[in-house]
Amino acid sequence: MWTLVTSFLALVALTTALRVDFAIYEGFPAFTFVGNVANGAGLLGSLNSTITNNLRFSILSQGEDYFTLDERSGDIRTDKVIDRDVICPQEETCDVHLEVAAVSSPN
């Protein structure tokens, strides 16, 4: 098992940086659900529905294209089969960092 570390930048009302961790196993097929950024960051319970309904998510940076992010839902999925030996060869722990932004913009 290895960990996807999501650095999350919420550009909603104030700029806030949060860290959200998701753990997944290697070898799962492409498009496997990893986690939801909005849920992981606690945005859905802390913001009013007008803001959360207009949230748009985007990946700011990632080393390789291992993950996709649904811009409307905040769902992170694998983009391909994850091979830990390729990503983190001979390392005991394997962390992949992904920076994500959420912006609330009116339609």
Side-chain angles (χ1 to χ4, degrees), residues 2-6 22-26 28-35 37 58-59 61-70 75-83 87 94-100:
W2 59 282
T3 305
L4 167 66
V5 178
T6 306
F22 298 107
I24 62 171
Y25 290 98
E26 68 176 319
F28 282 169
F31 311 113
T32 297
F33 178 77
V34 175
V37 176
S58 61
I59 295 175
S61 69
Q62 68 174 315
E64 293 284 331
D65 294 333
Y66 295 115
F67 303 98
T68 59
L69 175 67
D70 184 289
D75 287 347
I76 297 175
R77 296 185 178 276
T78 58
D79 193 43
K80 56 183 98 174
V81 176
I82 302 298
D83 184 349
I87 299 170
C94 184
D95 293 341
V96 176
H97 297 269
L98 179 69
E99 291 182 352
V100 174

Side-chain angles (χ1 to χ4, degrees), residues 5 21 41 43 47 67 86 91:
V5 178
D21 294 344
L43 292 180
L47 300 172
F67 303 98
V86 172
E91 292 184 29

Side-chain angles (χ1 to χ4, degrees), residues 38-39 41-48 52:
N39 284 334
L43 292 180
L44 300 181
S46 63
L47 300 172
N48 71 48
T52 58

